[in-house]
Amino acid sequence: SGDVTWVVSDIASYRSDHSHPLVVCIDVLFHIVDDSAWIEAVSNLGALAAGGVLIIQDHLIGQPLPPPITTPGTYHTRWRTLEDYQAVLAGAVLEAHDLYELPMEDATKDLLVFRVPPVDTSKEAKNTR
């Protein structure tokens, strides 16, 4: 219809002129194995969804695991906890956490729905005067 704009970008560095009412990230974030890059990506998704809803699908674990001891670049997944997400998305409200089975993958997945508060521009406005 011509009403869709496609953007190809690194998830941590994509910027938008506005926030989006809904941001969906399915089966992506556990492939970011570097913890600092993962934090940047999740923070950016929260910024993109400011004032809206952020939906994330992941494979969550119960407690933090240390990074794999292996040659850098030889592993492609890093499992994280719900608490990891909540720490990065501080201020966002977890509205739903649903578990569901995918028999074809023999896996349980977590679907997280966060309500992200709008950006408070009043402090920025005061600082620019």
Side-chain angles (χ1 to χ4, degrees):
S1 71
D3 293 338
V4 175
T5 301
W6 295 98
V7 177
V8 177
S9 175
D10 178 275
I11 195 170
S13 61
Y14 171 71
R15 297 296 180 262
S16 176
D17 294 339
H18 60 279
S19 61
H20 301 276
L22 175 65
V23 175
V24 179
C25 187
I26 305 295
D27 277 352
V28 172
L29 296 168
F30 58 83
H31 291 293
I32 302 174
V33 296
D34 178 86
D35 288 334
S36 60
W38 179 83
I39 289 169
E40 287 179 40
V42 174
S43 295
N44 191 43
L45 290 172
L48 293 172
V53 174
L54 172 58
I55 298 175
I56 297 172
Q57 178 186 330
D58 204 334
H59 301 276
L60 299 182
I61 57 174
Q63 34 186 323
L65 295 174
I69 301 172
T70 185
T71 306
T74 61
Y75 56 98
H76 72 280
T77 56
R78 175 96 162 97
W79 310 117
R80 295 179 174 90
T81 66
L82 176 58
E83 290 77 17
D84 292 330
Y85 277 101
Q86 290 175 310
V88 175
L89 296 168
V93 175
L94 180 65
E95 291 192 339
H97 177 196
D98 293 319
L99 297 173
Y100 59 95
E101 300 292 326
L102 289 176
M104 63 279 207
E105 292 183 24
D106 192 28
T108 301
K109 299 214 178 182
D110 297 78
L111 188 66
L112 307 174
V113 179
F114 287 95
R115 172 80 50 193
V116 182
V119 174
D120 181 8
T121 57
S122 61
K123 292 179 186 175
E124 294 173 18
K126 290 177 186 175
N127 291 336
T128 58
R129 290 182 187 170

